[in-house]
């Protein structure tokens, strides 16, 4: 197995509020993107990380990652390429930068800075053991309702049903794929103008099998301001534990 990670980091982070692009916002004084790349680099399975940066921020991101690399440390190679207008386009541009020998791809959001290495390893292992597409997932805490359109502005939404929560998983990244499969579904989605919120969704759309391995609560995505507060707390706890 020769696994590379593709890290989409080209989003603006609109839901996080005004400020730098989300991947460059800091957590414990270090950009989210640097945390995410380090988390992937901790996995022995990952030989290359392709970071997909905002198209006007490629040089800045390259400098940032060069500066974050410990002197003389071995670890995966790091490449930086320019992203696109949607997450899917950014992933496609990242895939295009992979060298031929890569046969397994892990797609990991820069916005998930605290993913434990065990999750990265579990996803890579499941692909190595034969799965074409693997996602880490966690059980839901909340009950989920299926709703219909409100009858008018400001009116409540009617509930259409309650899926059995025990059959639902919130999915995270890294999502792992046989490279050939991921490339195929991205090519088809481009031709069909299909947009999905995650890469596994493309595989499902075209009839491929996707399996779930256990994710981790600390692999949550930093999306809204409150997520940044939680991430700071998790990081502070980790740093305190490392000191003891
Ligand atoms: N992403 C990307 N290219 C885009 C849009 C998103 O590479 N055109 C990346 C983000 O940088 C992030 C990941 O995809 O690491 C998940 O997306 P999301 O959490 O939605 O991040 P943003 O799009 O930046 O946030 P928002 O939707 O709030 O603007
Ligand atoms: Mg987004």
């Amino acid at each position: 197995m020769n696994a590379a990670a593709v890290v989409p980091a080209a989003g603006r982070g609109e839901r996080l509020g005004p400020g730098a692009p989300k991947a460059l916002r800091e957590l414990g004084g270090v950009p989210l993107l640097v945390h995410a790349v380090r988390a992937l680099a901790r996995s022995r399975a990952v030989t290359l990380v392709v970071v997909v940066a905002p198209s006007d921020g490629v040089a800045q991101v390259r400098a940032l990652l060069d500066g974050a690399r410990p002197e003389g440390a071995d670890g995966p190679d790091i490449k930086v390429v320019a992203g696109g207008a949607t997450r899917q386009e950014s992933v496609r541009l990242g895939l295009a930068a992979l060298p031929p020998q890569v046969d397994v791809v892990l797609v990991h959001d820069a916005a998930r800075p605290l993913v434990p290495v065990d999750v990265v390893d579990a996803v890579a292992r499941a692909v190595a053991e034969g799965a074409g597409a693997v996602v880490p997932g966690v059980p839901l805490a909340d009950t989920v309702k299926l709703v219909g359109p409100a009858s008018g502005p400001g009116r409540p939404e009617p509930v259409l049903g309650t899926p059995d929560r025990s059959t639902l998983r919130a999915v995270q990244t890294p999502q792992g794929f046989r490279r050939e499969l991921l490339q195929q579904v991205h090519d088809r989605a481009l031709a069909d103008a299909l947009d999905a919120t995650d890469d596994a969704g493309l595989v499902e759309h075209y009839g491929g099998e996707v399996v779930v391995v256990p994710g981790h609560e600390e692999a949550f995505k930093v999306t809204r301001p409150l997520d940044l507060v939680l991430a700071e707390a998790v990081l502070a706890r980790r740093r305190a534990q490392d000191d003891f």
Side-chain angles (χ1 to χ4, degrees):
M1 174 174 79
N2 187 330
V6 170
V7 180
R12 314 279 351 150
E14 271 162 24
R15 287 169 290 177
L16 203 52
K22 182 160 70 180
L24 302 179
R25 299 279 284 261
E26 290 190 354
L27 172 60
V30 175
L32 293 183
L33 170 64
V34 173
H35 284 285
V37 170
R38 284 182 182 158
L40 292 162
R42 269 180 220 119
S43 171
R44 307 263 312 267
V46 175
T47 59
L48 166 69
V49 179
V50 176
V51 172
V52 189
S55 54
D56 58 355
V58 173
Q60 186 190 358
V61 165
R62 206 170 271 147
L64 189 70
L65 290 166
D66 281 348
R69 179 176 274 276
E71 200 73 37
D74 43 34
D77 292 334
I78 297 179
K79 252 192 200 182
V80 183
V81 300
T86 63
R87 180 185 183 280
Q88 192 171 309
E89 190 184 352
S90 293
V91 172
R92 185 158 46 76
L93 293 165
L95 289 178
L98 295 176
Q101 65 273 19
V102 168
D103 57 5
V104 171
V105 181
L106 307 181
V107 182
H108 181 62
D109 293 330
R112 297 182 189 271
L114 297 175
V115 61
V117 67
D118 290 355
V119 175
V120 181
D121 286 337
V123 169
R125 194 176 326 117
V127 180
E129 287 171 357
V134 180
V135 301
V138 291
L140 272 66
D142 294 322
T143 293
V144 173
K145 301 288 183 194
L146 183 69
V147 297
S151 60
R155 302 287 304 153
E157 297 167 318
V159 169
L160 302 181
T162 307
D164 174 4
R165 193 174 66 192
S166 69
T167 67
L168 298 173
R169 298 290 177 267
V171 305
Q172 306 174 323
T173 72
Q175 300 190 347
F177 304 89
R178 268 195 300 106
R179 179 194 185 160
E180 208 182 64
L181 173 66
L182 185 61
Q183 187 67 59
Q184 250 173 36
V185 296
H186 268 272
D187 290 347
R188 287 181 72 176
L190 180 63
D192 297 346
L194 171 76
D195 203 38
T197 55
D198 72 342
D199 299 279
L202 295 179
V203 174
E204 291 157 51
H205 180 85
Y206 291 114
E209 192 185 330
V210 179
V211 296
V212 179
V213 297
H216 194 284
E217 59 181 359
E218 293 180 7
F220 65 92
K221 186 156 68 81
V222 173
T223 306
R224 299 179 188 85
L226 189 60
D227 300 320
L228 215 40
V229 176
L230 179 62
E232 291 284 2
V234 171
L235 187 66
R237 192 186 57 189
R238 281 189 193 174
R239 285 178 174 170
Q241 278 168 352
D242 286 351
D243 279 346
F244 287 111

